[in-house]
Amino acid sequence: IITPMEPRDLKLEQGSVLLGDPLWKVGDVAFFSATCLSEQDMTEAVVAFAEEEASWDRVLRELDIVREVPGFPEIFAVSDEARAVVYRLPDGNLLPHVLGEYRHPVRALPLLRDLAGTLEGLHTRGHVILGLRPEQVWVTRDGRALLLRLPPWPDPERKSYLDYAEGYVAPEVLFGGDTGPVSDVYVLGALLYKLVFGKDPSDFFSPQVRSPLREIYRAPWPGVVQILVQTLALQRERLADARALHDYVDRVYVLEYAPRIHLEVGAFSSIGRNPSRLHNEDAFTYTLRYAQTHEEGLVLEGLFLVADGMGGAARGEEAARLAMEVLERELRRATFESLSVREALQAANRAVYERAQELYGDAWEAYMGTTIAGVWARWPWALFFNVGDTRIYRLRGGTLEQISVDHSALAQSEQVDPRGHPSRHELIYAVGPWKEIPEQGIHVGRADLMKGDVLLLLTDGVWESITDEEMMRFAAESVHPQDLARRLVRVAVERGGKDNATAMAVRVQGGGE
């Protein structure tokens, strides 16, 4: 091991470390490029050496922050004997080496958002950086930013912070004024200026200038102008802290530059080939809503419902239609949470039950109900729910998963395959037959949505006739969800056709810039 201060051995159980060039120095702590050699791999690294015991003690106290706050590199080894910390870096490069790739806001803003998130974690623990160089930012292969401005950090309550003021520095730091998180907001604004203009902001800004120069206003990128104005302004006119900057950058990115996500929907239903079934008691409906505001960004919301009515003649058809109408109405004005779904399903249940009582009283004809399955999506999340045996599947990355729960007698036995079983239609829970659905009769789950996901909502007239492997193959071969829904229903009807059959397919698509 070669160090710049004096020869010393760095004995590590994890492996050896080969030092490279000096990078920067903070007080009496020097940072060097390095390579970590272990039995598993060889990775780039940064090594920090403390010359004085007092500085080393401070570095040790602040290492927990590096471990706890996302956006710092991994701590590979700590050597008390050498007063050294080895930080291992993932595949990537120092920012100055890839600067040209991050000039456009599509790549620059996510980088800035990452750094603001890291600084927020640092600020909540009482520390600031006060100065930053581009070479103190590491960019991973997948475009994430790691902060290499590492311990020791200055204490904003102390006035001996000029040793820490390096690279891009807020004017108030240079003039000995009050410091704090707002000073770091300036630092990140200066870094963004470097990214999008390819120049150091010190070439064009002066602490005496009240506002940024006109060059900022000539920037061709919407949103970037506003970020620069709110970060490079005088201290009292800046965004208050890293959290405010993170949120503002995120909104600008989502509104102006993020790839658009949209949902493609297809649905198809058939009465089937059973001559004794004169009505299609299945029903489906879906709604999509897009809204854009500066506060919320782009809101993409959808409600997708499939129901399988029960009761014979027109009663099952009415039960399915009524349940969906009530669910749509209740969820349209509800907050996006599982409790809202449960309350809406109970409201739908009451509506169907009371309609049956109104029509038939307590006579046997009062039996009137429906299964129902639904997905309530609010990008990037989805609440999925069901009562009965109408199913929901999610196809992601070549894996098909049933995310609903069958409320049938067969569902109690995991050993029995309900497909083709004579007792497959014996339901334990449904919407309508009873005054209230027991808590265990409502299944509600929450999942993230990802580009490429396909959601399938299928009545038993479809899923009991088609294997999981076929569903996956049909999805891969279908150009549009409408083609997929139609194919699922047609194949199911051709193979049996004794039940109504309904399929809805929802595909999460990603648009361009």
Side-chain angles (χ1 to χ4, degrees), residues 444-482:
V444 183
R446 182 183 176 98
D448 64 316
L449 292 174
M450 294 178 59
K451 179 181 175 182
D453 283 353
V454 176
L455 301 172
L456 299 176
L457 290 78
L458 311 174
T459 61
D460 60 350
V462 175
W463 61 256
E464 68 180 16
S465 300
I466 300 178
T467 66
D468 292 358
E469 291 73 18
E470 287 175 320
M471 291 184 198
M472 295 171 61
R473 179 164 58 85
F474 294 169
E477 295 173 350
S478 299
V479 175
H480 190 274
Q482 185 61 45

Side-chain angles (χ1 to χ4, degrees), residues 89-118:
L89 301 171
D91 288 343
N93 221 320
L94 292 174
L95 180 58
H97 298 162
V98 292
L99 200 63
E101 300 175 22
Y102 287 85
R103 183 169 185 182
H104 195 280
V106 167
R107 303 198 71 184
L109 294 185
L111 205 71
L112 189 70
R113 182 179 56 192
D114 287 350
L115 293 173
T118 302

Side-chain angles (χ1 to χ4, degrees), residues 140-184:
T140 66
R141 293 295 183 199
D142 58 357
R144 293 180 297 111
L146 298 182
L147 188 61
L148 302 187
R149 182 64 179 83
L150 298 159
W153 292 299
D155 182 347
E157 299 299 322
R158 296 171 57 218
K159 293 301 180 184
S160 58
Y161 46 68
L162 286 180
D163 285 344
Y164 301 88
E166 52 183 20
Y168 303 144
V169 182
E172 62 270 15
V173 175
L174 296 176
F175 287 110
D178 294 334
T179 62
V182 71
S183 302
D184 286 349

Side-chain angles (χ1 to χ4, degrees), residues 276-406:
S276 65
R277 288 183 176 267
L278 304 180
H279 296 267
N280 187 349
E281 296 182 281
D282 287 358
F284 68 83
T285 186
Y286 63 85
T287 57
L288 286 172
R289 181 177 74 92
Y290 292 85
Q292 180 165 301
T293 66
H294 184 71
E295 288 302 317
E296 290 190 273
L298 179 67
V299 176
L300 169 56
E301 187 170 11
L303 179 62
F304 312 95
L305 301 172
V306 170
D308 183 352
M310 303 173 296
R315 292 192 296 275
E317 183 180 359
E318 183 176 2
R321 176 187 55 77
L322 181 57
M324 290 193 302
E325 287 177 357
V326 174
L327 267 174
E328 279 191 292
R329 183 188 68 224
E330 294 297 316
L331 294 179
R332 192 180 302 120
R333 59 193 183 193
T335 56
F336 187 75
E337 58 185 13
S338 298
L339 180 60
S340 298
V341 174
R342 290 184 174 276
E343 292 175 345
L345 283 168
Q346 292 291 4
N349 182 79
R350 287 192 298 272
V352 175
Y353 178 82
E354 290 170 2
R355 177 59 176 163
Q357 294 296 308
E358 176 186 327
L359 290 175
Y360 308 108
D362 293 326
W364 68 269
E365 294 94 340
Y367 180 77
M368 182 175 166
T370 183
T371 70
I372 198 160
V375 176
W376 187 14
R378 187 176 174 90
W379 177 258
W381 298 102
L383 294 172
F384 53 89
F385 53 91
N386 77 285
V387 181
D389 64 352
T390 295
R391 289 185 175 182
I392 307 171
Y393 291 87
R394 179 178 66 185
L395 176 60
R396 172 180 288 178
T399 300
L400 185 71
E401 176 189 8
Q402 181 184 338
I403 58 176
S404 58
V405 171
D406 290 349

Side-chain angles (χ1 to χ4, degrees), residues 212-289:
L213 295 185
R214 292 181 179 179
E215 178 162 305
I216 285 180
Y217 301 106
R218 292 196 295 269
W221 304 288
V224 173
V225 174
Q226 288 83 350
I227 294 171
L228 290 173
V229 167
Q230 294 182 93
T231 53
L232 298 176
L234 293 177
Q235 186 176 14
R236 63 179 178 273
E237 297 170 353
R238 274 181 231 144
L239 290 167
D241 50 34
R243 176 66 183 182
L245 176 58
H246 175 279
D247 292 348
Y248 192 86
V249 171
D250 188 60
R251 287 197 297 271
V252 168
Y253 177 75
V254 169
L255 290 173
E256 301 286 349
Y257 301 103
R260 290 300 190 233
I261 295 294
H262 60 276
L263 301 176
E264 291 184 344
V265 190
F268 195 73
S269 185
S270 173
I271 194 173
R273 295 189 293 122
N274 188 340
S276 65
R277 288 183 176 267
L278 304 180
H279 296 267
N280 187 349
E281 296 182 281
D282 287 358
F284 68 83
T285 186
Y286 63 85
T287 57
L288 286 172
R289 181 177 74 92

